Amino acid sequence: MPRKTNTDKDKRGARGKTGMSEMRTPRPKPKIDFTVDALDFKNTNLLKQFVTDQGRILPRKYTGLPAHYQRQLNRSIKRARQMLLMK
C-alpha cells in the first residue's frame, strides 16, 4: 500500500485557512463612560452604539461591559424595541 503524501489540505490545518493573513479585524470597544442609570430604554443614542446594522445586540466580547451592565443593556434595548423607539 503506498504512503499518503502531504497535500495542500493537510498543510493548511483543520479549517483550511492558509495562514494568519485572513484574520478578522477586531471591532473597536467602546469606552464605558456612563453609569447604570444612563442605560435606559429612552436613551436610544447610547443604545444604538451596542447594536449592529442588522439590529443584533453585541455580546460582551465586543462591548467590553461588565455582566451587570450587559444584562441591563439587553433589557433596555428590548424595551426600546417594544416601544418602537429602536428597530
Side-chain angles (χ1 to χ4, degrees):
M1 184 175 243
R3 282 187 147 200
K4 187 177 179 183
T5 59
N6 286 341
T7 61
D8 290 337
K9 190 174 182 182
D10 294 335
K11 291 177 185 175
R12 285 185 271 169
R15 292 197 176 179
K17 293 194 177 179
T18 56
M20 299 300 279
S21 62
E22 294 184 27
M23 287 186 63
R24 293 184 195 169
T25 57
R27 185 181 292 266
K29 292 187 179 181
K31 303 276 188 213
I32 305 171
D33 58 347
F34 55 88
T35 61
V36 183
D37 300 332
L39 284 176
D40 190 27
F41 70 93
K42 293 175 270 185
N43 193 354
T44 56
N45 291 332
L46 178 68
L47 298 179
K48 284 179 185 175
Q49 294 176 1
F50 299 100
V51 178
T52 63
D53 296 335
Q54 293 86 23
R56 295 181 181 167
I57 301 171
L58 292 173
R60 279 185 65 201
K61 178 177 158 184
Y62 295 123
T63 61
L65 294 174
H68 184 247
Y69 277 40
Q70 185 73 23
R71 282 193 298 271
Q72 284 202 330
L73 175 75
N74 288 343
R75 245 182 269 133
S76 300
I77 290 173
K78 290 176 182 180
R79 283 183 184 161
R81 285 175 180 165
Q82 282 186 333
M83 301 277 187
L84 298 177
L85 300 174
M86 288 180 65
K87 288 190 175 187

